[in-house]
């Protein structure tokens, strides 16, 4: 059964996720860095480093949000990065960010559905996704679409939350993630559901070997998982 942001609303997961991110878009960047104590910035840097040997010229950043991963990918000196997201609110914040940094010609922010990508087959050298695949309504469909638009030999790099396994970090983290984080998120974002949905969606996500198996089933090879920061999140990679 799908985990939904708004359990009392009608509408598919896709629509609800778009609504949720529209609601929290103004405070999203602050909350992201505040609630993760800035560790998310380090995770993105590590993920981008994996793509360095590939020297990708065209990069697609799916579930780009306000474009943090796309901005980090500029260090690879690509010709073009397209940041795609389902939430217009998040893209509006991202577009302002790109203009302020003078990179709007290199990073193009596009409204679109990750499960129906508006691109030709074999269009991109690399695809990045940070904390977005667990929001897909149909995970396998989204991953197949990613594989379709990747060029042969291209690489997908995905950062996603996972669940720490070791005592005592597991217990401390679970308390923070389920008791403290939703309250702080609610207080700052004024959206009572968004930061309750976060731990619920992480709990339901098929992490580790299960996700590697799904990557294989959707056309990726050489799939790997690298846990980060005591297993709070993981970097997954797959090649077409």
């Amino acid at each position: 059964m799908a985990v939904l942001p708004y359990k009392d609303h009608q509408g598919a997961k896709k629509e609800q996720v778009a609504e949720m991110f529209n609601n929290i878009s103004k405070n999203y960047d602050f909350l992201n860095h505040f609630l993760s104590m800035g560790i998310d910035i380090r995770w993105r840097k590590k993920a981008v480093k994996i793509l360095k040997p590939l020297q990708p010229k065209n990069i697609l950043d799916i579930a780009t949000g306000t474009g943090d991963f796309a901005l980090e990918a500029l260090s690879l000196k690509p010709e073009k990065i397209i940041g795609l997201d389902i939430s217009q609110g998040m893209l509006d914040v991202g577009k302002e960010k790109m203009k302020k940094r003078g990179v709007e010609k290199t990073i193009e922010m596009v409204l679109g559905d990750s499960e129906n990508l508006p691109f030709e087959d074999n269009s991109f050298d690399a695809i990045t996704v940070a904390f977005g695949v667990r929001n897909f309504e149909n995970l396998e469909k989204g991953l197949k679409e990613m594989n379709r638009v990747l060029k042969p030999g291209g690489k997908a790099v995905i950062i996603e939350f996972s669940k720490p396994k070791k005592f005592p970090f597991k217990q401390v983290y679970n308390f923070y993630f389920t008791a403290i984080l939703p309250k702080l998120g609610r207080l700052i974002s004024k959206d009572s559901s968004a930061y309750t949905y976060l731990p619920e969606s992480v709990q339901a996500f098929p992490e580790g070997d299960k996700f590697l198996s799904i990557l294989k089933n959707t056309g990726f090879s050489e799939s790997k998982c690298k846990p980060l920061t005591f297993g709070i999140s993981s970097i997954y990679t797959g090649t077409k």
Side-chain angles (χ1 to χ4, degrees), residues 81-92:
I81 301 172
I82 292 179
L84 178 133
D85 204 277
I86 203 169
S87 161
Q88 188 63 56
M90 296 287 272
L91 290 169
D92 289 344

Side-chain angles (χ1 to χ4, degrees), residues 151-236:
K151 290 177 185 174
K155 189 169 272 196
V157 178
I158 298 163
I159 312 174
E160 194 47 87
F161 286 114
S162 41
K163 300 180 276 291
K165 308 286 188 288
K166 289 185 179 171
F167 177 87
F169 190 77
K170 174 184 173 181
Q171 285 70 17
V172 173
Y173 179 74
N174 283 347
F175 177 70
Y176 171 72
F177 208 50
T178 56
I180 309 292
L181 182 142
K183 284 178 182 154
L184 285 172
R186 194 176 304 136
L187 193 69
I188 299 165
S189 74
K190 306 290 188 279
D191 186 300
S192 59
S193 300
Y195 289 87
T196 305
Y197 165 75
L198 174 58
E200 286 175 357
S201 63
V202 171
Q203 201 61 39
F205 183 71
E207 61 170 317
D209 288 341
K210 286 181 185 170
F211 187 62
L212 288 176
S213 176
I214 295 169
L215 280 172
K216 189 180 174 187
N217 292 340
T218 50
F220 290 94
S221 61
E222 300 169 34
S223 302
K224 290 178 187 145
C225 172
K226 180 182 170 62
L228 301 167
T229 318
F230 305 108
I232 294 175
S233 74
S234 300
I235 296 176
Y236 299 93

Side-chain angles (χ1 to χ4, degrees), residues 5 31 42 95 104 113 124 133 139 161 193 216:
L31 271 167
R42 287 214 306 272
K95 281 176 184 174
E104 70 272 26
D113 177 3
F124 297 95
V133 292
L139 179 59
F161 286 114
S193 300
K216 189 180 174 187

